[in-house]
Amino acid sequence: MRTPVPTVPTKLVDVEVASAPRDGVTRVVLAATGPELGPGAQSADLTGVTGKAGETVRQADPDLWVLGIGAGTIGDWKIAGASLVRALTGDTAPKTADVLLTDIDADALRAFVLGAALGGYRFRVTGEDAKPQVRTLRLVVADQGIEDVLAASALKAHALATATALTRDLANTPSNVKDPKWLASTGAKLAEKVTGVTAVVRDEKWLAEQGFGGVLAVGGGSSRPPRFLELSWNASAKNVPHVVLVGKGITFDTGGISVKPADGMHLMRTDMAGGAAVISALMAIARRGLPVRVTTLVPCAENHVSGTAYRPGDVVRHYGGATTEVVNTDAEGRMVLADAMAYAVTKLSPDLLVDVATLTGAMKVTLGLRTGGLFTNTDSLATDVIAAGERAGERWWRMPLLEEHADAVHSEIADYRQCPPGPGGITAALFLEKFAGGLPWVHLDIAGPARSEKNYDEVVPGATGFGARTLVELVEDYARKA
């Protein structure tokens, strides 16, 4: 019997680094712009070959391919890896292939592995069998002296790709399957497979007892009640920094009474991409054994329309006692994040607090679909996030927390106003800052880059998994500096 959705996590192409090719397997030779050929390409037919990054040309010998790497930039290598795996798909796809590399450094190899691991990702709920795809790639390097260095780089790149793929899996899962209970319980099941990770799932009764008014309000319109997922890595460790990652877990967003337009609403199954990113990042951090304590919090709710849905004009009391005047029920993400952030500040006392969310359409307008919005109250953290993103192949742009809009967050009837006037992404961040407790804090708005409608680089249509890799890099760097 087929499962309702593909198995989570998706199996990615495996990659190994070696100094010698194998006999009797498909070989891939490289061509840079020109074309300039790499090793093993003496017998290749260059008719029509340009060497452009991502160009794939199968030779008369079906076990020989030419792969373009362009000018050999980091981006070119990533495109080449993704294009190769997409080409090695179909009824005649080999199970394995050797890629004969030119001289390559660790950063370029890492980009190639990231592209190869993620470029062939697919998530389809179908009655058809999946198309065959290459399962393993051997990257053959000429210099045996740096084989170990390159192998370590490839291993880390694959770990980051795995985190991205898991984020995609969770976000792509359709919402008739993925309700708050499914998301929380799936996160807990994944935790069981990773040594040192523990999970606790709380239900709506616990949320009511503890005063999580934001989560309960947003989830009140659905017949599928909210959940609160708490994952911990290295929870008993002493004298190590403690990072809390909070991710928006809205498993479907109709907009509530402030209902969204029909166009694009089907994409709201990915509105928990921030929650997926923090779950996946913690798993990768744990598997890498990083010397840091990490707690992940995911408030999970479905924002629906019904007679029990929360309303514009309601006043909601959050965890810890602060109150919020509801202006727009489609600004639900900040309502659930506020509860989780207040819980983190009060119960967990972290050294660093990071929240991740597909929060505002304003950031899509401002930064487009390939750049995440970064807000923080600490200048050094902005530098660290941007640098982590560069290493991970994810782009961030720092946005200002403009003081001239700070007063707009305050309400006449409650402590805060949920959706104040002004620039939407900035005022949303200013609202969330009220729940950061003065801690070093980063808010990452991924409304734009969390989804894609087409292939580019290592990205495929659907959820992109954006943010998970940056979080892993950020936490690794934070632990190293502590």
Side-chain angles (χ1 to χ4, degrees):
M1 181 178 178
R2 292 185 185 274
T3 57
V5 293
T7 302
V8 175
T10 292
K11 181 76 171 77
L12 301 181
V13 175
D14 287 325
V15 178
E16 63 176 359
V17 176
S19 58
R22 297 165 291 181
D23 293 328
V25 302
T26 296
R27 292 194 179 189
V28 179
V29 297
L30 304 183
T33 304
E36 297 179 7
L37 301 180
Q42 295 82 358
S43 60
D45 178 3
L46 298 184
T47 304
V49 173
T50 67
K52 177 183 177 182
E55 179 181 52
T56 54
V57 181
R58 192 173 192 176
Q59 300 291 290
D61 175 355
D63 289 327
L64 181 63
W65 288 75
V66 176
L67 173 65
I69 58 168
T73 66
I74 296 300
D76 287 342
W77 280 105
K78 184 161 63 173
I79 291 169
S83 298
L84 175 62
V85 172
R86 290 169 187 155
L88 298 181
T89 299
D91 293 338
T92 60
K95 292 182 179 180
T96 187
D98 286 356
V99 183
L100 308 185
L101 296 176
T102 55
D103 292 334
I104 188 171
D105 62 24
D107 289 339
L109 183 130
R110 181 175 170 180
F112 184 83
V113 171
L114 195 67
L118 291 171
Y121 173 93
R122 56 193 171 208
F123 187 101
R124 293 194 68 224
V125 183
T126 176
E128 300 176 358
D129 293 330
K131 292 181 180 179
Q133 186 180 76
V134 65
R135 297 177 184 174
T136 63
L137 293 176
R138 170 178 281 197
L139 310 184
V140 181
V141 297
D143 188 347
Q144 297 184 30
I146 63 169
E147 183 180 343
D148 290 344
V149 173
L150 294 179
S153 183
L155 185 65
K156 180 176 181 179
H158 204 274
L160 292 174
T162 299
T164 299
L166 176 56
T167 305
R168 292 178 182 181
D169 288 341
L170 296 173
N172 280 327
T173 298
S175 296
N176 57 319
V177 173
K178 179 179 59 190
D179 63 3
K181 179 180 178 181
W182 183 95
L183 179 57
S185 62
T186 298
K189 290 175 183 176
L190 291 166
E192 293 174 357
K193 301 176 182 179
V194 183
T195 302
V197 177
T198 57
V200 179
V201 176
R202 275 86 174 222
D203 63 13
E204 70 275 22
K205 294 179 181 178
W206 182 90
L207 290 166
E209 291 169 358
Q210 297 298 316
F212 279 66
V215 179
L216 291 167
V218 172
S222 174
S223 62
R224 307 194 289 183
R227 293 290 185 269
F228 187 71
L229 172 65
E230 181 171 348
L231 300 174
S232 299
W233 154 247
N234 225 4
S236 61
K238 306 295 183 183
N239 301 317
V240 297
H242 183 195
V243 179
V244 172
L245 307 175
V246 180
K248 173 184 170 183
I250 300 300
T251 56
F252 193 79
D253 182 20
T254 66
I257 287 178
S258 307
V259 66
K260 292 178 178 292
D263 288 349
M265 193 190 289
H266 64 286
L267 298 174
M268 289 300 102
R269 64 177 176 270
T270 66
D271 206 27
M272 37 56 67
V278 299
I279 292 170
S280 304
L282 182 134
M283 301 301 172
I285 289 164
R287 288 193 176 98
R288 289 183 57 74
L290 297 184
V292 61
R293 179 185 172 194
V294 181
T295 305
T296 283
L297 305 175
V298 185
C300 308
E302 186 174 70
N303 189 22
H304 234 299
V305 183
S306 76
T308 57
Y310 78 131
R311 296 156 292 263
D314 285 359
V315 174
V316 172
R317 188 176 299 278
H318 294 283
Y319 181 90
T323 58
T324 290
E325 175 191 2
V326 177
V327 177
N328 183 339
T329 64
D330 194 23
E332 82 299 329
R334 66 199 73 180
M335 297 293 291
V336 301
L337 290 174
D339 278 349
M341 290 170 62
Y343 174 84
V345 171
T346 303
K347 291 292 187 181
L348 302 175
S349 301
D351 301 294
L352 172 62
L353 177 62
V354 182
D355 76 82
V356 190
T358 52
L359 204 67
T360 65
M363 292 310 301
K364 293 174 67 174
V365 175
T366 303
L367 297 177
L369 304 181
R370 300 191 187 184
T371 303
L374 158 64
F375 299 82
T376 182
N377 56 7
T378 308
D379 290 344
S380 61
L381 284 173
T383 301
D384 291 344
V385 171
I386 291 169
E390 288 178 353
R391 294 192 299 274
E394 296 178 333
R395 188 167 54 205
W396 300 92
W397 190 265
R398 187 180 186 184
M399 300 294 294
L401 291 166
L402 297 173
E403 282 300 318
E404 56 263 40
H405 295 287
D407 288 344
V409 176
H410 294 280
S411 166
E412 294 295 328
I413 191 173
D415 294 317
Y416 307 120
R417 184 162 43 168
Q418 164 229 33
C419 196
I426 293 172
T427 54
L430 287 168
F431 172 85
L432 290 177
E433 188 180 22
K434 299 296 184 183
F435 296 89
L439 294 171
W441 160 74
V442 176
H443 163 55
L444 301 176
D445 191 331
I446 60 172
R451 312 176 187 95
S452 177
E453 295 183 1
K454 61 182 180 180
N455 287 327
Y456 65 89
D457 299 347
E458 83 285 7
V459 173
V460 298
T464 64
F466 189 91
R469 302 199 302 266
T470 295
L471 292 174
V472 178
E473 291 280 9
L474 176 66
V475 171
E476 183 169 350
D477 184 58
Y478 191 78
R480 183 169 54 246
K481 292 178 177 178

